[in-house]
Each structure stands twice: as structure tokens, then as C-alpha cells.
Amino acid sequence: MAASEDSLRRALVEKQSSIESQGNAVRALKASNAEKKAVDEAIEKLNALKLEKSSIEKQLQASVSGNPGSSVNKEAFRQAVVNTLVGRLFFIPSFKIYGGVAGLYDYGPPGCAVKSNVLAFWRQHFVLEENMLEVDCPCVTPEVVLKASGHVDKFTDLMVKDEKTGTCYRADHLLKDFCNEKIQKDLSISAEKAAELKHVLAVLDDLSAEELGAKIKEYGITAPDTRNPLSDPYPFNLMFQTSIGPSGLSPGYMRPETAQGIFVNFKDLYYYNGNKLPFAAAQIGQAFRNEISPRQGLLRVREFTLAEIEHFVDPDDKSHPKYSEVADLEFLMFPREQQISGQSAKKTCLGEAVSKGIVNNETLGYFIGRVYLFLTRLGIDKDRLRFRQHLANEMAHYAADCWDAEIESSYGWIECVGIADRSAYDLRAHMGPRDKSGAPLVAHEKFSEPKEVEKLVIAPVKKELGLSFKGNQKKVVEALEAMNEKEALDMKSSLETKGEVDFYVCTLEENVKIKKSMVSISKEKKKEHQRTFIPSVIEPSFGIGRIIYCLYEHSFYLRSSKAGDEQLNVFRFPPLVAPIKCTVFPLVQNQQYEDVAKIISKSLTAAGISHKIDITGTSIGKRYARTDELGVPFAITVDSTSSVTIRERDSKDQIRVNVEEAATVMKSVTDGNTTWADAWAKFPHHSSVSAEE
């Protein structure tokens, strides 16, 4: 596509040049009073060139947008989905009667039911299946915890301000929008300029504040709403700040993720698990991010539900006992090499990706496979789901590998699940000195017989350190003891040759002089009965709201009414996630039919099936349309006292069953023990000319 686009842009420039030359030729002929035939031929040639230019423009538009007019279609489709969601109270803008607040939404009754069903399946698919330890930690987190994890210093986005109104914008979003707009809508830009803009998009996440500011100035980007000049970019911390207790002396934040609650509880969870690895802890809960300028509707919000798993594993053994269950799965994978070379995601066998080292290890591969099964069983279209590997400039320095499950929506490819091998970073961050817990967040492997190992021994001489550093002695001791092997051996070498060395103590934020008499560093041979190590963490993190929104789009379609005079909205939710599993309709207002409907309702309640009775006098076709719009998969219609019909939403096919069997059939089909095809094969079919309208 890139080569085709480049050649089309070059062809367009050449064609424009030919049109200008031919236009000059026409004007010259007219000015010289040339023969009419010659002028007409020149004009005909000019018009032919203009037609050729128009054809190239259409091809180029198709190349950059994937489809002529596709952006318009996507926006119209999105609006139809959102209008239906808001109209049927799947979600509501929060505080609507007060004008609302950007990035905050309420879930209405059907939205709550869908969310509840998605989370119930998440628990079933992950927590129960993998025997995970579920925890529930507070949303308010002390500053010291988020300081240790790095969030206080680094959880930022670069922001710019409208210099006249003070309105704030995310700097990278403005640059991204400018580049995309130019590439997709300005067909006059050269191939070289298009390549430059694409390069900016590729390295966007890696640009410093200075580089981002320079690009904004170079391209003349101004405030979108007012066209006023913008400030230089500066970091804005996305966490909501608060204080714990009335004094205000104990600062805290609303958690930006649920993971830290699991990491700080590792020691107790490890003990609860019988001091055995591997094991996983899971948490579902609210997280908060003070987005600079929320957009993309439900996809970028300030309060959202996360479902996170922290799978603790021996860094020397990242195999997984159940890996073979997912190794044969095939789905769209987008490794970094394919991204860099401009290729598209390709269907790949997961086992092949792991064996070739494209996916770092078996445990990471196992969770990628399980995430694929989870999303597709919810109703996500497998052809619009891909697993994209992070590029080198996206990955944290401590991560061994990271993949995002991305789902295609009308907004493009949206990251909905992150699956990362975070090495031992998180536990190490919380256990060291530097104002941290000091807790030993480690695991042990007992040896069958003692092993002789060479151990580094750092022994600060506290008396000497106390004489030199007095009240700061403890901080210097902690910093010396926290040195890794390379730092310690470099210090030992310097002390032996120079007698003293400069040593940075981070808790003092300064260099201090360490003399040979202040510390003893040596290697000793010891017999050990166990190995002590900090576990690695494999972390699948699910943005539940994003998954649900993409599920709405993937499930939505329009179908014509029987009369053909209107388009009806339908959500094709699988029974697993449908907000209501079935409806019960007496065909007409008749006491006997209503009594049967109540008997069936009681049986459905006893079977744990969510349902709704509609005894209004509205036509049965309109009642079907109303429930199709809510995504209800089945409708039971009472048209006699002995038997009823069951209608399936998407095919509109109906079967007839006895009243006593209705709840049992519904239970079996909605639980997934049987399929609609099984029921269709087993029970008599029902057809009614006027059933739909």
C-alpha cells in the first residue's frame, strides 16, 4: 500500500504539472486567435488530463483511507450505534441534567447487565479456570506506594495550553490528528512529505517535550477550537490527587491501575499459596486517570473498570503446564518486524510464534491464547482482532516482551488488553530502600541437597559510617547494602586502588565520600539449602469498558422491517453477554395467556435466567423489534395454554415446545450446553405469516 500511495502521489504531481502546461497552451492559442479546431483539440486534451487527475485522486483517496468515503461511513455507523446505546440506556453521560462532565459516563440497566455478564465470564474463564487468588484493594492509595512504583514521577502525558483561553490539549493527540488529516485528506502533498508525516506518527510515542513542541511549531498547529497559539508542551500527571485524613499531611492518589494492590500483598499471597510458584492473583476494580482532553466516547474516560492478573513465575522457568491447550490456535499477530517493514498483521500459529522466539516465552504465549479465546467467545469478531507486539520505543526498559490485544472499531485499532512480561521490576520497586517498604518480596526454591555457591557479602562498618555521617548513617548503610554485584565490585576495585570513592545516595540526593575503612566487600563460598529470588510477573490487563464498547460495535447491525419502510436496530449479543436472555410475550391480552406467562417466568427465575414479561397490547412484531434492539437472543410467545413458541433473534426462526419444557430449553441454550441448531433439529418448527409485523 505504501509503494502504491507513493507512486500515486508522484503521478498526481506530474498530472497537475501537465494540466498547468496544457492550460497555458490553451490560453496561448486563444490569445493568438488560432483556428477554432486547434483550440477545441487543446481544450479536449486539457479536459482529458483533468479526468485522469480525478481518477488518480480517487485511487489515492482509496489508498489512504482503505475505502472511498470510508471515514464518512464509519462516523455514520458509530452515530447509529451510540444513538441506540443512549436511547436504550446502555449508557448515559454522567450528570447530564447539569451539562455533563467530559470523560464520565453512567451505565444504565442494560449496560450494567452486559458489564456484569462480561465480568462473570472473565472470572469463570480466568480466575476459576486458573485457580487464581482474587483480591479487592482500596481505590485510595498512599503517595509512598505510587512513589515507589514510579507513578508519581512518570505517570504523565505532555500537555499544551491555548495561550488566550487556557484550554488544555494533549500535545501528541494534536500532532497525530494533524498528520492523519494531512495524509488522508490533503491529496496535494508530495510523496516525500507524506513519508515524513508517517515517520512522525511512527515515532510519536518516543518524542521528547522539546521535539514535540518543535514539530507543533514547524507545522503551525494551533488550538483546534479557537486557532489561538499554543504553549510549549509540559508534563501533566494523570493521577487524581487527594489526602488521607483531615490533617492533609498524608498525601494520596486515586489509583491509576489495580496492579499495585497485588504487588504490595505479594508476601501474604505467596504464603497463602503454600510458598509455591507459579501462582496468579487477580483483581477487578475501578481505576482513575485525569485525562487531559477525553475523546473517543466510551474508549477514553476518567473512571473505568480494570480486570488485571499478576502471574508470578520463576524467571528461570517460564514454561506453562497448560500451554499445549492453546499452542495450535491461529489468529492475527503483528510482530514488531512486520510493523517496521510496513506489512500487515498475518494469521499465525501461536505455537510457531513461541517456538521461533517471536513471543518471549510459553507463559506469555499461554495468556495471549487465553485472551484470544475470552474475547472471541464474548462476541468479538476474530477477523477484527489482532495481537500487536510493542515496538522497542514503546516498551518499558524492564519489560522482556509486551503484546496488545487490539480490536478494530470505527475509531480504528483500539488497545483493549495489554499482556506484558514485566520481569521482576514491580516487586523490586517496592522492596528496596529509597523510602520503600523494605519488605522481602521474594520467593524460595528449596534444594534437594545443599549447594556450594559464591556469594557477594557487603558489610558496612557502622561505627565508621556513624562518625562521618551521624544522623544520615542509616540511609548510607541502606544504599550500600542495596548495591548490585557490578556496583559493589567496581567500588571494591576503586577503594583498593584509590582508598576512597564518590557514592551517590539517592535518599540524600547527593554524592558522599566512602573510605576503605567504611565498608568491607568480598565474595565468600557458602553452602545454601535454598535459592532466593524475586519472581517475574506476566501481566494481562483488561480495559473492560473498551472491550464492551468494541463488543457493541461488533454486535450491531441494521435490518429492514417486514414492510421495508424502516431500518431496525439489532445487537447480536451471544446469550453469554446479552443483558436479558429471553422475553415472555402473551400473543394477545388474554388472562389465560398471561397466567401461562407468569408460570414460565417463575420457572425461568428458578433456573437463574434473566428475562422480561411484556403484556402490553402492542403488536408482537413491535415487541420483537424492541427486544432485538436490546440484543435479547430469545423470545417466548404464549399463543396457547399448552405450548409456546421460542423465536431466535437473528434468524427469526421459531420452534414450538410444551409450556413445561420452555424454561429447560432456555436454560440449556443460554448456558451453552446446547446450541440453537440442536433445538431447531429437536423441536417442531413454527411459522406465522404475521409474526414479525
Side-chain angles (χ1 to χ4, degrees), residues 14-25 27 46 49:
E14 289 169 13
K15 200 60 68 180
Q16 183 59 41
S17 176
S18 300
I19 287 170
E20 286 170 8
S21 297
Q22 189 62 23
N24 291 334
R27 281 188 286 276
L46 178 63
L49 287 170

Side-chain angles (χ1 to χ4, degrees), residues 68-314:
S70 64
S71 60
V72 176
N73 295 341
K74 282 178 181 175
E75 283 169 23
F77 171 78
R78 182 193 309 146
Q79 204 54 55
V81 175
V82 170
N83 288 346
T84 308
L85 292 171
V86 173
R88 298 311 303 266
L89 290 195
F90 279 87
F91 78 93
I92 311 155
S94 298
F95 319 112
K96 188 170 69 172
I97 63 171
Y98 286 96
V101 177
L104 295 175
Y105 296 93
D106 300 338
Y107 282 79
C112 276
V114 170
K115 181 179 176 183
S116 176
N117 292 338
V118 168
L119 290 176
F121 181 54
W122 189 87
R123 277 197 173 94
Q124 171 72 41
H125 189 78
F126 291 106
V127 179
L128 295 181
E129 181 74 27
E130 310 298 335
N131 200 22
M132 294 177 180
L133 311 180
E134 189 172 358
V135 297
D136 188 355
C137 307
C139 294
V140 177
T141 307
E143 183 182 58
V144 65
V145 174
L146 294 166
K147 185 87 176 163
S149 66
H151 285 85
V152 172
D153 298 322
K154 296 177 183 172
F155 198 70
T156 57
D157 278 337
L158 290 170
M159 181 166 79
V160 288
K161 270 187 182 177
D162 181 318
E163 290 191 337
K164 292 184 179 174
T165 67
T167 305
C168 299
Y169 304 93
R170 250 183 79 166
D172 60 334
H173 281 178
L174 294 183
L175 183 55
K176 183 180 181 180
D177 289 347
F178 173 84
C179 293
N180 280 328
E181 183 89 1
K182 274 284 184 192
I183 291 166
Q184 291 174 19
K185 295 187 179 174
D186 187 351
L187 302 182
S188 66
I189 62 171
S190 67
E192 290 73 22
K193 189 67 178 176
E196 177 198 321
L197 295 171
K198 285 180 181 176
H199 176 69
V200 170
L201 288 172
V203 299
L204 195 58
D205 290 335
D206 220 22
L207 295 180
S208 66
E210 293 73 24
E211 291 167 329
L212 204 51
K215 283 291 173 194
I216 287 171
K217 280 190 171 64
E218 180 188 337
Y219 295 145
I221 298 171
T222 54
D225 303 320
T226 61
R227 302 296 166 205
N228 291 332
L230 296 164
S231 70
D232 290 331
Y234 60 96
F236 171 76
N237 195 296
L238 299 177
M239 292 192 294
F240 286 98
Q241 192 162 11
T242 185
S243 58
I244 302 167
S247 67
L249 300 176
S250 180
Y253 296 90
M254 304 302 288
R255 65 184 178 190
E257 60 178 33
T258 64
Q260 299 310 317
I262 296 174
F263 295 135
V264 298
N265 282 309
F266 170 78
K267 189 178 174 186
D268 291 327
L269 292 169
Y270 180 56
Y271 174 76
Y272 182 87
N273 199 55
N275 294 331
K276 288 179 183 171
L277 283 184
F279 77 89
Q283 181 168 196
I284 296 169
Q286 296 303 97
F288 306 83
R289 295 182 187 179
N290 195 11
E291 294 286 349
I292 294 165
S293 48
R295 53 189 193 164
Q296 296 186 316
L298 292 171
L299 295 177
R300 190 170 292 281
V301 292
R302 288 179 164 133
E303 179 180 347
F304 50 94
T305 302
L306 281 180
E308 295 192 294
I309 296 164
E310 309 303 330
H311 180 91
F312 299 101
V313 63
D314 186 334

